Amino acid sequence: MTNQQDGLYRAESDPAWNIVAAGTAHVTLHPDDRSPEFIVVSGPCPRCTHATVHTEPLVSYAGALGASGVLSRLLHRRAVEAGSREVEVICACLTTHPEAGEQKGCGASWVLHVEWSG
Ligand SMILES: [Zn+2]
Ligand SMILES: [Zn+2]
């Protein structure tokens, strides 16, 4: 692997990172695998190799909008069904990359396919 730990910040994606990340990412479903409400992806960034964590909400709109009654139940039921999601992960490592400015991470983004069985 090339040494890019101190690489400049650059917003970019590369299909090869999707493959690398699929092999190194650690995916956890919360609160549990059967009715996930959010996905947490952790692991090394395939570009800069620093540790990064990404949280993908699955049903956040239910709570955010204060949904109640039928709508809330519908949303909740959807959440407990088996499903899959293409999660776009953006590097948010804690290392300051040159030229990152206000941005976190190195600018890399990649897509991880996550599946779960309800
Ligand atoms: Zn980094
Ligand atoms: Zn990175």
Side-chain angles (χ1 to χ4, degrees):
M1 189 172 284
T2 53
N3 182 2
Q4 296 182 320
Q5 273 88 342
D6 298 305
L8 297 178
Y9 177 91
R10 204 167 133 208
E12 62 180 350
S13 59
D14 185 326
W17 296 338
N18 301 354
I19 297 165
V20 173
T24 59
H26 183 67
V27 178
T28 49
L29 298 165
H30 294 273
D32 56 64
D33 289 5
R34 300 189 67 81
S35 55
E37 292 177 10
F38 58 98
I39 299 170
V40 175
V41 179
S42 60
C45 166
R47 179 174 184 246
C48 72
T49 74
H50 300 135
T52 185
V53 179
H54 175 82
T55 301
E56 179 85 358
L58 295 172
V59 291
S60 64
Y61 43 87
L65 297 176
S68 60
V70 173
L71 179 58
S72 177
R73 283 198 294 274
L74 280 174
L75 290 171
H76 188 67
R77 208 177 70 198
R78 283 194 58 181
V80 301
E81 291 171 353
S84 66
R85 174 74 70 100
E86 300 292 322
V87 179
E88 185 187 24
V89 183
I90 299 171
C91 177
C93 74
L94 299 175
T95 299
T96 302
H97 286 269
E99 300 183 12
E102 300 290 301
Q103 306 293 324
K104 285 197 295 184
C106 70
S109 63
W110 58 97
V111 176
L112 194 68
H113 183 71
V114 178
E115 289 184 355
W116 62 93
S117 51

